[in-house]
């Protein structure tokens, strides 16, 4: 869109039927000092954000990239607004700052109701079901892109003075997930468009781009795997939120607690914590289920199931899952029977819950220091157990870029005419995504695409 507005001839390649990929499912983007925040009196200092993010990454993030991103974030929101994007407001997530600018219609509305039609009206060309399969650098400095038409199988070559790779990472490439981060792909539940298979990274690596920063998947804590449904359908499930996103009781394969469950308030750290154990289960009793139904949950899941929302569909979802004998859920009238169903040591799980209930009675978690308000006793049957997998939204990283989003080679030299945006570019994270400033991933996708175009203008001159 920005490149079209700047007068360039632009071709956008999309291997699927529709553009946008996983950005279609995003809720909002990061910014500070935006017109929305100013209207609400929200003040966040740029250097404070920068310090938190680079410290969180153990300084694996590039401070220059963060500096420029932060300083342009308000203009990013304003530009979207000027194109016609409507915002519902700005809010926080979990224990984080109010940096999350929620747009109406989610990312799908932003892309398909505003940016793509406007871009095409101005002359931008979009080819869907067309996959880029190879890049070749030519002697004249241009880049040849080999593309394949999914419908016919025909291959074509297109030359361009500049190419921007924005293929969304590699979450949906099981082999890369197993070898690059690495994560146990059998426990990982990708909740995405399914199109992030590492295409952009591999094409760039094949022409000498530096492989860098591939070790991060954006985990978001406990997630139920339903073998009969696409994984994204669980996002709006109150049962999924109750089972995987609450600061209640988690146990491992040995029936032991292993962490302060308040870790859910940083969903990426929650995913890391789950991976420290071979298997993880959450346990809810009827009393806490009834409490969440009448007074609201302790923690939501983005805007799919909102924080504090009354879980009025929870019991019905539980009943239907039990009746359908879903593999992720267990129900019993006693803890002993629940342990047997889940394959956990009966004596160990019983002792764990007795100890947990004592902590609830005394108002103090002597093992991990959890806030007493989350020490909800597990005492009233029936009891429900859930086998938790680990949800993931995306990967971030793979190509080392400059603050201008230029791709670097193995000698740290710029590959002329080649740029990377969004999740193909490194520099924003270490090994764990930071959700305390919510919206930074998709915000960077918008920013880095526009930033690449601004610098392409200079390059072409």
């Amino acid at each position: 869109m920005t490149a079209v507005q700047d007068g360039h001839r632009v071709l956008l390649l999309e291997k699927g039927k529709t553009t946008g990929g996983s950005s279609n499912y995003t809720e909002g983007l990061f910014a500070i000092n935006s017109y929305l925040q100013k209207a609400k009196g929200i003040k966040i200092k740029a250097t404070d954000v920068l310090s938190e993010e680079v410290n969180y990454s153990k300084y694996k993030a590039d401070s220059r990239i963060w500096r420029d991103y932060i300083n342009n974030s308000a203009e990013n929101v304003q530009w979207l607004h000027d194109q016609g994007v409507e915002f519902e407001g700005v809010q926080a997530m979990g224990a984080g700052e109010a940096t999350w600018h929620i747009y109406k219609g989610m990312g799908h509305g932003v892309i398909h109701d505003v940016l793509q039609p406007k871009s095409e009206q101005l002359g931008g060309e979009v080819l869907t079901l067309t996959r880029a399969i190879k890049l070749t650098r030519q002697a004249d400095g241009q880049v040849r892109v080999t593309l394949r038409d999914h419908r016919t199988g025909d291959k074509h070559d297109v030359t361009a003075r500049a190419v921007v790779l924005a293929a969304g990472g590699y979450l949906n490439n099981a082999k890369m997930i197993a070898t690059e981060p690495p994560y146990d792909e059998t426990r990982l539940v990708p909740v995405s468009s399914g199109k992030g298979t590492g295409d952009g990274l591999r094409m760039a690596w094949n022409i000498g781009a530096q492989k860098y920063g591939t070790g991060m998947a954006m985990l978001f804590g406990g997630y139920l795997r339903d073998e009969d449904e696409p994984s994204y359908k669980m996002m709006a499930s109150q049962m999924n939120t109750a089972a995987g996103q609450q600061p209640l009781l988690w146990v491992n394969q040995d029936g032991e607690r292993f962490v302060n469950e308040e870790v859910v308030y940083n969903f990426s750290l929650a995913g890391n914590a789950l991976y420290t154990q071979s298997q993880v289960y959450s346990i809810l009793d009827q009393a806490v289920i009834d409490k969440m139904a009448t007074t609201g949950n302790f923690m939501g899941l983005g805007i799919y199931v909102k924080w504090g929302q009354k879980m009025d569909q929870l019991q019905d979802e539980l009943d239907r899952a039990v009746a359908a004998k879903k593999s992720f859920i267990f129900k019993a009238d006693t803890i002993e029977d629940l342990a047997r169903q889940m394959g956990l040591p009966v004596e160990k799980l019983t002792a764990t819950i007795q100890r947990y209930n004592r902590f609830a009675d005394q108002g103090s978690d002597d093992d991990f220091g959890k806030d007493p308000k989350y020490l909800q006793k597990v005492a009233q049957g029936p009891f429900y157990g859930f086998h938790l997998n680990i949800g993931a939204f995306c990967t971030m990283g793979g190509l080392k870029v400059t603050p201008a989003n230029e791709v670097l080679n193995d000698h740290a030299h710029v590959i002329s005419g080649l740029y990377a945006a969004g999740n193909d570019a490194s520099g924003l994270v270490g090994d764990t995504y930071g959700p305390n400033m919510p919206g930074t991933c998709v915000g960077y996708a918008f920013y880095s695409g526009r930033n690449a175009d601004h610098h392409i203008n200079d390059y072409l001159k």
Side-chain angles (χ1 to χ4, degrees), residues 181-224:
Y183 293 110
D184 179 355
E185 75 277 12
T186 65
R187 297 179 64 196
L188 197 70
V189 183
V191 183
S192 67
S193 68
K195 295 188 286 189
T197 52
D199 304 2
L201 304 181
R202 292 195 304 275
M203 286 190 295
W205 292 337
N206 286 338
I207 61 170
Q210 184 177 160
K211 184 177 183 180
Y212 183 82
T214 57
M216 194 225 80
M218 189 198 294
L219 309 179
F220 62 94
Y223 201 77
L224 302 178

Side-chain angles (χ1 to χ4, degrees), residues 133-440:
I133 58 175
K134 184 180 180 182
L135 300 178
T136 306
R137 296 182 67 197
Q138 301 187 154
D140 61 2
Q142 296 194 89
V143 180
R144 185 169 73 247
V145 183
T146 302
L147 49 102
R148 183 173 60 220
D149 188 312
H150 178 72
R151 290 151 294 199
T152 65
D154 294 341
K155 294 180 181 178
H156 305 274
D157 285 340
V158 175
T159 56
R161 294 177 68 192
V163 169
V164 182
L165 299 171
Y170 58 95
L171 180 67
N172 306 111
N173 186 318
K175 182 178 180 181
M176 290 181 72
I177 283 291
T179 57
E180 297 296 345
Y183 293 110
D184 179 355
E185 75 277 12
T186 65
R187 297 179 64 196
L188 197 70
V189 183
V191 183
S192 67
S193 68
K195 295 188 286 189
T197 52
D199 304 2
L201 304 181
R202 292 195 304 275
M203 286 190 295
W205 292 337
N206 286 338
I207 61 170
Q210 184 177 160
K211 184 177 183 180
Y212 183 82
T214 57
M216 194 225 80
M218 189 198 294
L219 309 179
F220 62 94
Y223 201 77
L224 302 178
R225 188 197 301 272
D226 186 341
E227 293 85 353
D228 302 320
E229 297 285 355
S231 57
Y232 68 83
K233 284 197 171 183
M234 277 292 181
M235 285 294 290
S237 164
Q238 293 184 3
M239 173 180 60
N240 179 69
T241 302
Q245 305 297 320
Q246 304 307 306
L248 298 171
L249 176 60
W250 290 353
V251 298
N252 65 11
Q253 66 281 349
D254 299 318
E256 295 180 314
R257 273 185 84 204
F258 59 93
V259 72
N260 178 345
E261 295 91 347
E262 285 179 274
V263 71
V264 297
Y265 286 103
N266 181 312
F267 58 73
S268 292
L269 296 184
N272 287 347
L274 291 166
Y275 260 121
T276 66
Q277 310 300 306
S278 297
Q279 298 293 332
V280 177
Y281 302 84
S282 67
I283 298 174
L284 305 176
D285 78 342
Q286 191 64 50
V288 80
I289 290 168
D290 293 341
K291 181 174 183 176
M292 288 193 288
T294 56
T295 64
N297 62 47
F298 300 89
M299 178 66 184
L301 183 53
I303 66 170
Y304 289 88
V305 179
K306 293 186 177 181
W307 191 355
Q309 179 179 328
K310 291 183 179 180
M311 308 286 267
D312 54 353
Q313 302 298 313
L314 175 55
Q315 189 63 60
D316 181 58
E317 290 182 17
L318 292 170
D319 293 343
R320 284 189 279 116
V322 170
K325 298 181 179 179
K326 296 293 186 181
S327 62
F328 56 75
I329 190 170
F330 309 88
K331 179 183 178 182
D333 291 326
T334 66
I335 294 299
E336 291 79 6
D337 187 27
L338 188 70
R340 283 188 284 268
Q341 288 188 42
M342 293 192 293
L344 302 181
V346 174
E347 291 185 5
K348 189 66 179 180
L349 181 63
T350 301
T352 294
I353 290 179
Q354 288 174 347
R355 181 176 178 82
Y356 187 76
N357 287 345
R358 285 199 304 272
F359 294 160
D361 287 335
Q362 72 188 28
S364 174
D365 179 4
D366 294 345
D367 284 342
F368 300 109
K370 185 161 73 174
D371 190 315
K373 67 184 177 184
Y374 302 129
L375 291 170
Q376 303 288 317
K377 290 182 70 171
V378 181
Q380 179 184 330
F383 304 98
Y384 295 84
F386 303 89
H387 179 226
L388 298 183
N389 282 289
I390 299 99
F393 288 131
C394 63
T395 61
M396 294 174 69
L399 299 175
K400 194 164 191 178
V401 297
T402 70
N405 285 96
E406 303 159 305
V407 175
L408 297 174
N409 65 18
D410 285 327
H411 303 289
H413 297 149
V414 169
I415 299 176
S416 298
L418 187 62
Y419 299 76
N423 290 348
D424 282 343
S426 296
L428 214 64
V429 296
D431 57 14
T432 300
Y433 179 72
N436 283 344
M437 303 290 174
T440 53

